Amino acid sequence: IGIGYAAITTIPLKISGTAGATTKQGNFVVRFEGTPTVTKGENLDASVTATATLTDDTNAKFEVAGLTAKGDKVTAKYTIKNASPDLTAKLTVNDPVENTTYFKATKTVTGLAENNTMELAKDATVEVELTVELIKTPVTDDPVATTVNMSINADPVQP
């Protein structure tokens, strides 16, 4: 007598396909936040005016008028926030002024390295101060002015 049986074999199941990703600017959000503050240096003439404002999330303004003597200075303080969901921001900061004969612009950014860069983690903030100082007393009736352009570039970095 013979006994026969049938074998059940393995059935391979397979899933194949593709995945794709694209960039979305909304995933990287670095902005000014809060209200900027202004601090006037000591012994400034009462006619010195200074304002620091935000014109939008990525642009700020700093206006100073009435400096009269060497050493007169005004500082504006801004807050920058990395509001990105998961990306770190590499900040690069510079602070040129056009009229270096009469003015000096100084930046103060906690954590800024010697190469003017720093990393700002998601949800972190950093205070940025910009000080404008008169380094030479004007002696003529000709107006003395400069343009102050401090740029801060934020580049996305994978955490």
Side-chain angles (χ1 to χ4, degrees), residues 39-56:
T39 305
K40 295 181 182 180
E42 295 180 22
N43 303 318
L44 286 185
D45 185 274
S47 64
V48 173
T49 60
T51 58
T53 57
L54 301 182
T55 54
D56 59 36

Side-chain angles (χ1 to χ4, degrees), residues 23-132:
T23 60
K24 179 180 174 187
Q25 188 62 45
N27 290 332
F28 186 58
V29 180
V30 180
R31 65 177 180 242
F32 288 109
E33 111 172 342
T35 303
T37 59
V38 172
T39 305
K40 295 181 182 180
E42 295 180 22
N43 303 318
L44 286 185
D45 185 274
S47 64
V48 173
T49 60
T51 58
T53 57
L54 301 182
T55 54
D56 59 36
D57 285 349
T58 58
N59 293 286
K61 203 168 195 177
F62 184 30
E63 300 286 336
V64 179
L67 301 178
T68 60
K70 179 180 178 179
D72 285 358
K73 62 183 165 183
V74 178
T75 300
K77 185 187 289 187
Y78 302 89
T79 301
I80 295 176
K81 179 174 184 167
N82 180 1
S84 303
D86 70 336
L87 296 173
T88 297
K90 178 182 176 187
L91 302 181
T92 305
V93 184
N94 70 27
D95 59 348
V97 295
E98 291 179 2
N99 185 343
T100 56
T101 302
Y102 283 92
F103 297 94
K104 177 172 82 171
T106 307
K107 65 181 172 296
T108 305
V109 183
T110 303
L112 194 65
E114 284 185 34
N115 65 354
N116 290 328
T117 65
M118 69 175 295
E119 288 196 356
L120 189 61
K122 73 177 184 105
D123 294 323
T125 61
V126 66
E127 300 284 325
V128 176
E129 291 183 358
L130 175 61
T131 300
V132 175

